[in-house]
């Protein structure tokens, strides 16, 4: 009988990470890892290789980071040394990204030697297995997330991440600066690093320019130093895109809020508004109102629907 088994391996574009950096990021003790070794990560999932140690390699997820907890280690502890060595050697021969022993458990007598012979980085964590696995999955989701760079301003307004886009010189930075002055938080100025984690788009600033903003006629300012630590945020989800464009009296703009525009970012459809810019219009206030209106819709209140009920 043929059994159709879906491994559920969430493969992504591979990313290489230096083994020492991986250990530092994940708070791991290095049992064996060459200083120049690169770990290839290609799956956001983590594998427990208990069945593999027992000799069952059908559907073995060799592309995943392998975590060995109590069950796997005590399985090896209770075996004869030659059988234990054979089982572990068979495991590391599969070109694994790395192996992590949890709970601070001791490796078997020849485990480090076998890992070195096969070029398989071997680490140890003091964390319990479930905690380690959860933290690894979070790290892998972050590291392997699809990424791109967008031109615009990213601000957080009352918990709503707003990406302000538009042609150069339209007033994006000035709008973001006014929003910060009104008590909201700047995430990124001019260049926004965007990544997708599951079905959420997250935006941040490149580390080198974080907290800084260019203001035409003034120059570069440090928003954190000028407005305080509460005026900046390291990252936020992008919940709304507002595109600024020069007012065109021949163009019909949304007046009721019933147009359902969106923009695709890394495969996620993000709601979008077109906001015409004209002399005397306070764009920052309008952007703030748009974000507040979106939040109210999310909790169930829609002003247009209420108006329709009153009128009709």
């Amino acid at each position: 009988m043929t059994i159709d088994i879906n491994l559920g391996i969430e493969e992504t574009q591979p990313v290489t990470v230096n083994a020492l950096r991986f250990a530092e990021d994940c708070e791991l003790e290095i049992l064996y890892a060459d200083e120049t070794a690169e770990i290839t990560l290609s799956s956001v999932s983590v594998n427990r290789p208990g069945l593999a140690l027992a000799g069952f390699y059908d559907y073995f997820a060799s592309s995943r980071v392998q975590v060995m907890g109590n069950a796997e280690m005590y399985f090896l502890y209770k075996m004869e040394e030659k059988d234990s060595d054979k089982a572990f050697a068979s495991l590391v021969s599969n070109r694994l990204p790395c192996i992590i022993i949890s709970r601070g458990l001791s490796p078997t007598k020849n485990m480090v030697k076998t890992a070195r012979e096969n070029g398989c980085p071997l680490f140890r964590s003091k964390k319990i297995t479930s905690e380690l696995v959860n933290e690894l999955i979070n790290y892998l989701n972050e590291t392997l997330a699809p990424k791109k760079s967008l031109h615009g301003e990213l601000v957080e307004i009352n918990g709503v991440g707003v990406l302000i886009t538009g042609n150069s010189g339209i007033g994006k930075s000035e709008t973001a600066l006014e929003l910060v002055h009104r008590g909201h938080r700047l995430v990124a100025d001019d260049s926004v690093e965007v990544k997708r984690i599951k079905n959420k788009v997250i935006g941040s600033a490149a580390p080198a320019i974080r907290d800084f903003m260019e203001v035409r006629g003034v120059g570069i300012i440090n928003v954190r130093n000028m407005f305080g630590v509460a005026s900046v945020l390291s990252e936020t989800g992008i919940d709304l895109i507002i595109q600024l464009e020069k007012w065109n009296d021949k163009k019909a703009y949304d007046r009721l809020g019933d147009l359902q525009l969106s923009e695709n970012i890394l495969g996620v459809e993000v709601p979008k508004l077109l906001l015409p810019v004209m002399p005397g219009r306070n764009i920052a206030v309008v952007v703030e109102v748009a974000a507040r209106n979106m939040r109210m819709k999310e909790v169930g209140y829609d002003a247009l629907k209420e108006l329709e009920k009153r009128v009709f």
Side-chain angles (χ1 to χ4, degrees), residues 197-248:
I197 299 180
K198 297 184 178 179
N199 291 320
K200 184 73 173 177
V201 179
I202 309 295
S204 62
I209 62 173
R210 186 171 297 157
D211 301 340
F212 290 96
M213 173 182 282
E214 177 192 354
V215 182
R216 283 184 175 85
V218 176
I220 304 298
I221 66 171
N222 186 310
V223 175
R224 177 188 291 269
N225 290 348
M226 186 172 291
F227 294 96
V229 294
S231 65
V232 294
L233 191 63
S234 60
E235 66 176 30
T236 186
I238 299 179
D239 305 300
L240 176 65
I241 300 172
I242 295 184
Q243 180 177 322
L244 305 184
E245 61 177 46
K246 189 175 180 180
W247 175 273
N248 183 348

Side-chain angles (χ1 to χ4, degrees), residues 165-180:
T165 65
N167 294 332
S168 180
I170 196 70
K172 300 184 297 296
S173 293
E174 290 77 6
T175 300
L177 181 60
E178 174 65 18
L179 287 165
V180 170

